[in-house]
Amino acid sequence: MQDLASGLRLERPGLERMRDLAGHRGFDVLLSGGPDRLARNPALLVLLIEELEQYGIRTIFPNTADDPVSK
């Protein structure tokens, strides 16, 4: 059964793999269908985006109206 609160925590296998790959400079841009797909907790979302920025990785939410890529 899927954990419905998984977006509220950092301990998620896919997220952990992505963060590890980011730490090894395995990609330059992270595309996410929306901020809630990355994290549902605003504080965790900010933490993740800032972590990615430290590695020089840009986070883009193309399905979000205010994302410049979606315009």
Side-chain angles (χ1 to χ4, degrees):
M1 182 172 155
Q2 183 180 3
D3 181 358
L4 297 177
S6 64
L8 296 172
R9 51 192 180 83
L10 291 175
E11 299 82 22
R12 299 172 3 224
L15 183 62
E16 290 174 354
R17 286 190 302 273
M18 183 275 297
R19 292 173 74 202
D20 185 53
L21 190 59
H24 289 94
R25 308 290 200 276
F27 58 97
D28 298 316
V29 176
L30 175 70
L31 294 175
S32 176
D36 66 327
R37 304 310 301 158
L38 188 55
R40 291 194 178 107
N41 177 319
L44 291 181
L45 180 63
V46 170
L47 180 128
L48 289 169
I49 291 172
E50 287 177 350
E51 178 181 334
L52 292 170
E53 286 176 351
Q54 289 177 356
Y55 296 127
I57 298 168
R58 183 171 171 215
T59 304
I60 299 174
F61 305 104
N63 295 334
T64 303
D66 60 340
D67 191 302
V69 174
S70 68
K71 293 182 181 174

